[in-house]
Amino acid sequence: MVNVAVIVGSLRKESYNRKMAHALAALAAPALTLGIVEIGDLPLYNEDLDKGEPPAPWRAFRDRIRPVEAVLFVTPEYNRSVPGVLKNALDVGSRPYGHSVWSGKPAAIVSVSPGAIGGFGANHHLRQSLVFLDMPALQQPEAYIGGVATLLDDKGNIANDGTREFLKTFLQKFDAWIKRNPAR
Ligand SMILES: Cc1cc2nc3c(=O)[nH]c(=O)nc-3n(C[C@H](O)[C@H](O)[C@H](O)COP(=O)(O)O)c2cc1C
């Protein structure tokens, strides 16, 4: 069993991305244990606050990410990039300098949108940050989930057989990727 932190890039109560994260957790078990790590209460990153005793939510977040074996990002696209709340979480986890909790952890990205492009811009902007954070990110298959409003039923299950099979394959490839690139 592999412990994977799931970072959801939306704070919306009825978020499609959050529903997709839950659906992914169900599809991933038992090989991967996917647990959402909340990012909505993290104060905006400010280096001044990282001297001495950093804010408690930052410390709790860093402590939660540090022991996991891998990270799965499930995110919407905001203005062709990642939502600020997700970027903030990346920044909080990356500091203090030399003590990033992300470093060396294998990662994968699922971008989700009601639109047709499936969050491609967010997916690739996030990849740019993961290069610097030294997180080897699964290359194939890529997961740009467009038209999400028609893909989930009212219980949040994936209502489309093709999408369900694709996501199962994606998770199997992620599992293999984690084994090939174990957290350092
Ligand atoms: C500030 C903002 C910017 C957005 N920009 C994009 C965008 O660039 N591309 C896109 O596909 N959807 C965009 N959307 C629409 C989101 O995909 C949509 O609101 C989606 O439901 C957000 O994900 P969630 O359901 O998980 O909250 C934007 C939404 C907001 C609020």
Side-chain angles (χ1 to χ4, degrees):
M1 219 151 66
V2 179
N3 276 320
V4 179
V6 181
I7 307 291
V8 177
S10 170
L11 304 183
R12 206 166 69 84
K13 207 159 41 151
E14 292 299 320
S15 161
Y16 290 121
N17 281 271
R18 183 170 288 267
K19 287 177 183 166
M20 188 57 77
H22 285 293
L24 286 164
L27 292 177
L32 301 176
T33 304
L34 268 49
I36 294 177
V37 179
E38 300 297 341
I39 61 174
D41 68 341
L42 297 175
L44 287 178
Y45 189 76
N46 174 346
E47 268 192 276
D48 292 343
L49 305 181
D50 227 356
K51 295 172 184 138
E53 181 96 324
W58 291 1
R59 283 184 281 131
F61 179 72
R62 290 164 177 166
D63 289 347
R64 177 72 179 78
I65 297 293
R66 207 173 282 110
V68 302
E69 285 146 278
V71 182
L72 173 65
F73 296 94
V74 183
T75 187
E77 175 176 86
Y78 278 8
N79 300 307
R80 296 285 183 259
S81 185
V82 293
V85 67
L86 171 54
K87 183 60 166 57
N88 185 53
L90 290 178
D91 296 340
V92 167
S94 72
R95 295 285 158 143
Y97 184 76
H99 298 277
S100 168
V101 295
W102 307 114
S103 194
K105 290 191 194 327
I109 303 169
V110 177
S111 54
V112 175
S113 173
I117 306 173
F120 173 87
N123 194 307
H124 280 257
H125 273 189
L126 181 51
R127 285 176 190 276
Q128 180 170 325
S129 292
L130 299 192
V131 170
F132 187 69
L133 293 171
D134 197 16
M135 301 180 80
L138 178 67
Q139 308 289 299
Q140 294 292 337
E142 299 151 277
Y144 313 110
I145 309 298
V148 65
T150 63
L151 296 179
L152 296 167
D153 66 21
D154 53 4
K155 292 193 178 69
N157 299 312
I158 294 170
N160 177 291
D161 291 344
T163 304
R164 195 181 318 106
E165 287 312 307
F166 168 74
L167 290 173
K168 270 192 203 168
T169 303
F170 178 88
L171 289 162
Q172 284 161 4
K173 298 274 184 189
F174 185 32
D175 189 15
W177 180 253
I178 295 166
K179 291 188 169 80
R180 282 209 305 282
N181 299 276
R184 290 174 264 120

